Amino acid sequence: MLPFYIMTIIGAIGVLGILGALLAVLRRRMGPRIERKAFLTRAEIEVLEYLRRVLPGHHVSCQVSMGALLKPQRGLSRKEFWRTRNRFGQKIVDFVVIDPDTGSVEAVVELDDASHDAENDRARDALLALGQYRVIRIPSRPRPTESIVREATASLRA
């Protein structure tokens, strides 16, 4: 027979194991750990300010879901509807320039920073083109200035 203190240690290890398993189950049920993130980067804040300055007759919205800009065509089967919707529903565009009188989107403006990939950008541009949106891309290098943003958006003031 084992000494009492060894039996106590084995029992304590068993209890700790059970408590650990229960804690793991509770964590899974509580859901993922979530934390707050920055809504805009410093560069996006600057470009937003430049857009608002150089396009005073327009509204500019930021971090807009492509699901607010595009929808699957009518008449698709349920499966094809969701397959199409899933191609763009979770994607976000940096800025949307809106005509304040009509509420129509004049252009989508993307700040091409380190998070952008040329191949993915072409695919996103193609999706937006299907919705007949004009996409204006502003490179993040060199750091955009008001004059760079003014030049990139000149067609919206014409």
Side-chain angles (χ1 to χ4, degrees):
M1 179 159 200
L2 293 173
F4 177 74
Y5 70 92
I6 292 179
M7 295 292 287
T8 304
I9 291 172
I10 292 172
I13 290 172
V15 168
L16 288 175
I18 292 170
L19 287 175
L22 287 173
L23 203 62
V25 169
L26 286 175
R27 281 188 183 144
R28 270 187 255 124
R29 287 195 178 164
M30 287 176 18
R33 302 286 186 216
I34 297 174
E35 64 183 41
R36 186 179 187 137
K37 72 173 202 162
F39 185 65
L40 297 174
T41 65
R42 171 67 24 217
E44 288 169 335
I45 291 168
E46 290 172 5
V47 170
L48 177 60
E49 181 58 32
Y50 297 150
L51 285 168
R52 288 180 172 164
R53 257 191 252 153
V54 303
L55 299 169
H58 294 81
H59 290 304
V60 181
S61 293
C62 52
Q63 301 297 313
V64 176
S65 166
M66 285 177 63
L69 301 172
L70 299 169
K71 65 180 181 178
Q73 293 176 340
R74 288 187 180 162
L76 297 176
S77 69
R78 181 183 207 108
K79 182 177 179 180
E80 191 59 32
F81 173 92
W82 286 109
R83 181 181 297 143
T84 302
R85 173 95 169 119
N86 289 338
R87 289 179 58 203
F88 59 81
Q90 296 295 313
K91 295 179 182 350
I92 304 290
V93 298
D94 292 329
F95 307 101
V96 174
V97 179
I98 304 162
D99 179 313
D101 297 327
T102 65
S104 67
V105 174
E106 297 287 313
V108 171
V109 179
E110 287 286 307
L111 178 62
D112 287 341
D113 58 15
S115 70
H116 285 254
D117 171 76
E119 187 175 325
N120 288 341
D121 287 347
R122 280 191 293 279
R124 290 164 60 94
D125 290 355
L127 285 171
L128 290 164
L130 290 172
Q132 300 178 353
Y133 290 108
R134 177 185 348 186
V135 179
I136 298 171
R137 292 197 167 275
I138 300 174
S140 65
R141 297 277 185 244
R143 185 85 170 211
T145 61
E146 186 171 331
S147 63
I148 289 171
V149 173
R150 182 181 306 282
E151 185 179 324
T153 59
S155 63
L156 299 175
R157 290 184 301 282

